[in-house]
Amino acid sequence: MPTPSMEDYLERIYQLIEEKGYARVSDIADNLEVHPSSVTKMVQKLDKKEYLIYEKYRGLVLTPKGKKVGKRLVYRHELLEDFLRIIGVEGENIYTDVEGIEHHLSWDAIDRIGDLVQYFQEQQTRIEALREVQRKNEISEENE
């Protein structure tokens, strides 16, 4: 199982490859806001763990194992963004909140959140009912 740091790299590498068709060390460094030397060290670790194949000066490719993990990590991130949006978290807080919690939840918890997101998305009236509860709670808090 990859560490949280490895997960961040795999998620970003997977996204870059999906968007651009490749992921260079400099692209990864820019996206994660780290030094290229840090990326090189992590890419070498990911290579040893068989998540990707890295050849100095030639780039990297995800292995089937790396693609599978990367895809699942992107799914987790997007799911948590959807969940926070549904429950009414302010847009400017969502990315930071997801980054703060995504590594601390089990895959069982992620699956249950997925069920909840699906439940709300299947009927807009459920989201509207949640917003009404939130409005009532805000009014109640203001009156205390």
Side-chain angles (χ1 to χ4, degrees), residues 9 19 32 41 49-50 72 99 102 113 118 121 133-134 137:
Y9 278 84
E19 292 168 14
L32 292 175
K41 287 177 189 170
K49 300 267 186 189
E50 299 179 349
R72 183 124 165 104
E99 288 297 311
E102 66 184 339
I113 289 170
Q118 180 182 348
Q121 289 177 336
V133 168
Q134 291 169 333
N137 287 339

Side-chain angles (χ1 to χ4, degrees), residues 5 87 104:
S5 182
I87 63 172
H104 301 285

Side-chain angles (χ1 to χ4, degrees), residues 18-19 25 35 49 65-66 73 89 92 114 126 132 144:
E18 286 294 301
E19 292 168 14
V25 167
H35 293 287
K49 300 267 186 189
K65 174 182 170 181
L73 295 171
V89 173
E92 65 267 11
R126 293 171 177 160
E132 185 57 32
E144 289 180 1

